[in-house]
Amino acid sequence: MRILLYRGDGVIEPWVRDFSDALPRAEMVVWHDNMSLASMAPCDYAVVWAPTPRLLDQLAHVKAIFLMGAGVDALLKFGDALPPVPIVRLGDAGMAEQMAEYVVYATLRYFRRFDDYEQQARQGIWNPLETRRRKADFTVGVLGLGKLGLPVLRALRQLGFPVRGWSRTVPDLPGVACFAGMEAFDDFLSGTQVLVCMLPLTPETTNLLDRARLSQLPQGAYLINVARGALVAEPDLMALIRSGHIAGATLDVFRNEPLPAPHPFWNEPRITITPHISALTLRDEAVRQIAAKIGKLERGEAIDDIVDRARGY
């Protein structure tokens, strides 16, 4: 069995080592962008992250394509050029706990006004601020109720925050105010004090959070985006922050990454920037998952986490 490995960032050797240990009978084939397609024998499976167009011809021969992360947009952007084989995303792989930690931290930072204290400290100001005493007035709404969104909701509920969730279809989540479909989107936003974006990036969700929709949030609301940068219309968000309608934003993802040096977000004190680290793939868990699924496919067994191309996730 031959397994093709590729990462767009070039950090591939640790993955080769771990897959060799997990699948000792398999041959690992590392793809480089300068390789000759004619010189390569077909591979049985591909494990990739952010592939280039030159790799698509090689993918045409595999039985399945596995992704090294939870997001699928970097592959699905190739559309019909992709071969008609299963595309398999990672399950949790240790990311849910990290994501919950990140969102809880950002939410508590706003609830306890630590963002305001940070600004005061930079100016040398010692001034205790009026506290927000009622969590009941600090509702957190989560956009996207998948494998990462649900643990975030649970973590926030355990801290006593009122939570609400929005997805395409109506979920059954005890203790959570649930909204489904675009017809309920404005109602979901209007009662959300902290909006957490965890949706996949698809043609339907690109620029979903534009000026009109972000304006449905209450005055002084906050945004936390840990999904994809292109879900947010960045100029619209900046305008609403400068007007005071949005009190602050914690952003881990951006339309262009790394975030360019001249981007206005860098100079806006009410925007907190992190470099796409809210939930990093744990390589050992990812390798264990993928190796197990390859074994199932070789035995003719069904696997989960297959991407629905029509939905985009």
Side-chain angles (χ1 to χ4, degrees), residues 1-5 19-30 41-47 61-64 66 290-300:
M1 178 169 50
R2 287 165 54 86
I3 300 177
L4 184 151
L5 300 173
F19 271 113
S20 296
D21 291 341
L23 298 168
R25 294 187 177 183
E27 177 187 355
M28 302 301 149
V29 179
V30 178
C43 292
D44 298 287
Y45 299 96
V47 183
H61 305 288
V62 302
K63 301 174 187 176
F66 291 87
I290 294 171
K293 288 175 180 175
I294 288 176
K296 285 186 174 183
L297 290 175
E298 287 295 288
R299 295 189 297 271

Side-chain angles (χ1 to χ4, degrees), residues 48-192:
V48 302
W49 187 248
T52 62
R54 290 199 69 243
L55 187 58
L56 295 181
D57 288 341
Q58 197 64 31
L59 296 180
H61 305 288
V62 302
K63 301 174 187 176
I65 302 169
F66 291 87
L67 299 173
M68 295 179 183
V72 300
D73 47 287
L75 184 63
L76 293 188
K77 68 181 182 181
F78 294 112
D80 293 340
L82 290 169
V85 300
I87 297 172
V88 188
R89 63 178 181 268
L90 285 181
D92 179 354
M95 290 177 281
E97 182 177 3
Q98 298 176 67
M99 193 73 81
E101 292 169 346
Y102 186 103
V103 173
V104 164
Y105 159 76
T107 301
L108 286 172
R109 179 170 172 264
Y110 290 133
F111 180 70
R112 291 295 307 274
R113 303 192 66 177
F114 292 140
D115 57 326
D116 293 324
Y117 285 118
E118 289 166 10
Q119 296 300 319
Q120 287 190 170
R122 292 190 184 99
Q123 301 172 53
I125 297 173
W126 180 285
N127 178 36
L129 301 171
E130 183 179 354
T131 61
R132 296 184 175 101
R133 293 192 175 94
R134 285 171 44 87
K135 285 182 179 175
D137 299 328
F138 214 71
T139 299
V140 185
V142 176
L143 276 175
L145 302 177
K147 289 187 176 181
L148 299 181
L150 290 177
V152 167
L153 276 175
R154 287 194 292 267
L156 291 164
R157 277 193 66 200
Q158 288 173 357
L159 288 171
F161 288 103
V163 291
R164 51 177 42 200
W166 182 92
S167 63
R168 287 177 44 153
T169 57
V170 180
D172 182 16
L173 301 175
V176 179
C178 294
F179 299 77
M182 292 309 300
E183 63 275 11
F185 198 57
D186 285 352
D187 287 342
F188 165 78
L189 293 173
S190 65
T192 295

Side-chain angles (χ1 to χ4, degrees), residues 7-31:
R7 283 186 64 90
D9 60 8
V11 183
I12 196 64
E13 290 308 318
W15 291 85
V16 175
R17 181 184 64 245
D18 290 355
F19 271 113
S20 296
D21 291 341
L23 298 168
R25 294 187 177 183
E27 177 187 355
M28 302 301 149
V29 179
V30 178
W31 167 263

Side-chain angles (χ1 to χ4, degrees), residues 42 199 237 247 278:
L199 290 171
L237 172 61
S278 56

Side-chain angles (χ1 to χ4, degrees), residues 102 225-226 250-254 257 272-278:
Y102 186 103
N225 188 10
V226 291
T250 298
L251 307 177
D252 187 53
V253 289
F254 305 89
E257 296 181 5
T272 299
I273 294 168
T274 54
H276 206 144
I277 49 79
S278 56

